[in-house]
Amino acid sequence: MNLLLLFDEDFLPDGTARLTGRRAQHAREVLRAEPGESLRVGRLGGLIGTGEVLENTPGVLHLRATLTEPPPPRAGIDLLLAIPRPKALKKVLPALASLGVDRIVLVNAARVEKSYFDSKVLDGAFVRDLLLQGLEQARDTHLPEVLVRERFRPFVEDELDAVFPTSAARLLPHPPATQPLRAVAAAAGQRSVLAIGPDGGWVSFEAQLLESHGFRPFSLGPRILRVETAVPVLVGQVALLAEDNAPRQDASRA
Amino acid sequence: MNLLLLFDEDFLPDGTARLTGRRAQHAREVLRAEPGESLRVGRLGGLIGTGEVLENTPGVLHLRATLTEPPPPRAGIDLLLAIPRPKALKKVLPALASLGVDRIVLVNAARVEKSYFDSKVLDGAFVRDLLLQGLEQARDTHLPEVLVRERFRPFVEDELDAVFPTSAARLLPHPPATQPLRAVAAAAGQRSVLAIGPDGGWVSFEAQLLESHGFRPFSLGPRILRVETAVPVLVGQVALLAEDNAPRQDASRA
């Protein structure tokens, strides 16, 4: 934990914050924060800064926060992600939060096992907890929004344009494609939406429907990656290209 | 498993292959391969192709392999990696194999917990098994080489240049740096070596020693990533830039 997150409900009328539960326990047992010491804190959805420990007794951490700095800039990336197997989702959600992704739609697909919908990993509280872990790791305060959609086609046909602005570059990693990511990447200042299929990939009906809704296919190369590897690889590459295409480009090319 | 790997010792004098253990069990229980059917197979260190199932009884898979295609091209990337916590290493090793990394030196560092050296994850057979999983996933046959070094400084001072050719671009993701990866990335056709520190980063002595041995620091941005997220992000970005810098560049820029 690189940042202790404070929630609105932690704040007392006098402006200090009173934390209980896991965070208080972590501050006591791992950080061993003594009164007078400062911890790095951030307010969920707000600024980051320092928290002076006023009291740290078993189960209760009382601190005075001074929040002055903005959290890291956003990645400008959203995800349409076929629901991965629960074990992969537990890795992917914290990673996505730590990478600064804004919106994640977890969608059903032909190669998604039906049993995944019964997984507790898709439960709202569990999802939120995984995302908070990613924020604490990356010192971010902006909670990604996660939507779960059980029907692929109605989502794409009826909701896609409302959830992902049509102004974004729509990117579809899909093995039959030959052009590289570079050829379809976002222009300067443009957002990106990545549509990442399940292990085994999108079936052709799904890929075609996405293409007919503006998603441009590109090749990931001949290597087939597990979703928990493909997600950070792709988000990292899309972020790198967006940075390259940004107007304030002062990096010399090696 | 997207590729069934065959080892030299599987091959019989008549050129057919006889597999036992986990692979035979997988072929029987998951792939349900019947005699006459073909499986995608590859010979460790060699070509890939198809394997016609001759017999698939409990515990024994007998097949005739026709190996004609080369495995995917190498990424041209090596890693100097501070030993991650065992849980992270179990994720990172298959990912590195699936990404086509050639050589991985797992090195001690100031922020590596001493207990990690006692972990079974560092055991040769366990490491090999994790790497094979990555190859099976990515349909590759080239096993990365893994070295474990318990002393950071002697490795860097005495072994580094022999293990990682000095002709490679030496890259050091390190938070105090300001220049982006783009500014230090490999030129066309050049290999890259990435030196990825532990959670918490390299201490300054380590970063300075690496810099004095030609590693060029670059910034990952303000987000602090877990090693299992940072590794695929960085390998993906280095691979993307190497592709961009490659001579046969036919991608139009968006």
Side-chain angles (χ1 to χ4, degrees), chain A residues 37-176:
Chain A
E37 287 180 2
S38 275
L39 303 174
R40 195 179 301 258
V41 300
R43 185 166 186 157
L44 190 66
L47 299 174
I48 60 178
T50 55
E52 187 201 342
V53 177
L54 302 175
E55 199 188 350
N56 191 6
T57 55
V60 178
L61 171 66
H62 189 193
L63 50 76
R64 180 182 292 112
T66 309
L67 303 170
T68 53
E69 299 160 58
R74 311 304 308 154
I77 299 172
D78 298 313
L79 239 70
L80 177 64
L81 180 64
I83 298 173
R85 56 191 201 294
K87 226 175 133 176
L89 191 61
K90 278 176 71 172
K91 299 172 191 168
V92 162
L93 286 177
L96 287 172
S98 71
L99 289 165
V101 165
D102 285 311
R103 185 171 272 189
I104 304 155
V105 175
L106 296 169
V107 72
N108 199 2
R111 293 198 178 121
V112 168
E113 277 188 35
K114 294 298 160 271
S115 64
Y116 296 174
F117 277 98
D118 303 326
S119 162
K120 72 171 164 118
V121 180
L122 288 178
D123 178 75
F126 199 85
V127 164
R128 182 183 153 99
D129 208 56
L130 291 168
L131 297 172
L132 291 176
Q133 287 172 26
L135 297 184
E136 290 168 348
Q137 168 65 34
R139 294 190 186 156
D140 194 0
T141 64
H142 185 94
L143 196 66
E145 184 186 1
V146 174
L147 304 173
V148 179
R149 291 293 180 264
E150 298 206 19
R151 296 175 68 208
F152 177 82
R153 185 173 183 161
F155 172 76
V156 175
E157 292 184 340
D158 306 332
E159 269 196 281
L160 184 76
D161 291 350
V163 172
F164 299 122
T166 52
S167 58
R170 295 180 169 179
L171 309 173
L172 178 66
H174 192 49

Side-chain angles (χ1 to χ4, degrees), chain B residues 127-139:
Chain B
V127 164
R128 181 183 152 97
D129 208 57
L130 291 169
L131 296 172
L132 291 176
Q133 287 172 25
L135 297 183
E136 291 168 347
Q137 168 64 36
R139 293 189 185 157

Side-chain angles (χ1 to χ4, degrees), chain B residues 27-38:
Chain B
R28 190 174 170 83
E29 293 173 10
V30 181
L31 306 177
R32 299 172 188 279
E34 300 285 341
E37 288 182 1
S38 275

Side-chain angles (χ1 to χ4, degrees), chain A residues 2 72-75 91 94-95 97-101 133-135 137-140 180-187 199 216 222-229 232-233 235-241 243-245 249-254, chain B residues 2 72-75 91 94-95 97-101 133-135 137-140 180-187 199 216 222-229 232-233 235-241 243-245 249-254:
Chain A
N2 296 308
R74 311 304 308 154
K91 299 172 191 168
S98 71
L99 289 165
V101 165
Q133 287 172 26
L135 297 184
Q137 168 65 34
R139 294 190 186 156
D140 194 0
L181 174 57
R182 162 72 72 194
V184 297
D199 284 326
R216 299 178 66 191
R223 298 178 174 277
I224 304 169
L225 302 177
R226 296 204 101 166
V227 65
E228 58 265 47
T229 307
V233 164
V235 171
Q237 290 183 336
V238 167
L240 181 74
L241 291 178
E243 201 179 275
D244 284 0
N245 290 346
Q249 188 172 0
D250 53 0
S252 66
R253 193 150 160 180
Chain B
N2 297 308
R74 312 302 309 152
K91 298 171 192 170
S98 70
L99 289 164
V101 165
Q133 287 172 25
L135 297 183
Q137 168 64 36
R139 293 189 185 157
D140 194 1
L181 172 58
R182 161 73 71 193
V184 298
D199 284 325
R216 297 178 68 192
R223 297 178 175 277
I224 304 170
L225 302 177
R226 295 204 100 164
V227 65
E228 58 266 45
T229 307
V233 164
V235 171
Q237 291 184 336
V238 167
L240 180 74
L241 291 177
E243 200 179 275
D244 283 0
N245 290 345
Q249 189 173 356
D250 54 358
S252 66
R253 192 148 162 181

